[in-house]
Amino acid sequence: MSELVAACTPNSYPHDDGRVEHGYQLNVFDQDLAVLATVDLPDWESFDHEEAGRHLADAGFSLQSGSGSAGTGGWSPAGLGYMASVVRAEAAAASPSSD
């Protein structure tokens, strides 16, 4: 299975308080950095881990289990935005649980 990464970045440079004026954009990339999905989030003033996960699901992807640290929902800070390892939703549903 190829490595997929989601990146959620602000569309403008954040103010000192972290707010952005032009929202965020969520992109999913394959290992060759080809864009597989793009979700515009123009109303976001700050990054929302849980809402980002829901938008990923709407686009057919899910966070790779076991990625990220507690409280971040799998997202890690990266530059001005956030990144996470993701899988296609059908691949996540088909993979066996590690319980």
Side-chain angles (χ1 to χ4, degrees):
M1 177 178 5
S2 65
E3 180 76 20
L4 304 178
V5 175
C8 194
T9 55
N11 290 326
S12 60
Y13 198 81
H15 293 281
D16 290 339
D17 64 1
R19 273 185 329 99
V20 298
E21 292 183 27
H22 303 288
Y24 279 72
Q25 183 169 321
L26 174 63
N27 290 295
V28 177
F29 300 95
D30 67 11
Q31 63 191 18
D32 296 323
L33 298 179
V35 177
L36 302 177
T38 297
V39 179
D40 289 317
L41 306 163
D43 298 330
W44 280 21
E45 289 185 353
S46 61
F47 181 73
D48 183 324
H49 298 93
E50 289 181 24
E51 188 68 21
R54 286 191 284 274
H55 284 289
L56 271 176
D58 291 344
F61 299 90
S62 63
L63 295 169
Q64 186 170 359
S65 60
S67 64
S69 59
T72 65
W75 295 94
S76 299
L80 295 176
Y82 293 83
M83 295 183 77
S85 294
V86 299
V87 294
R88 292 186 187 276
E90 62 270 9
S95 66
S97 174
S98 60
D99 294 334

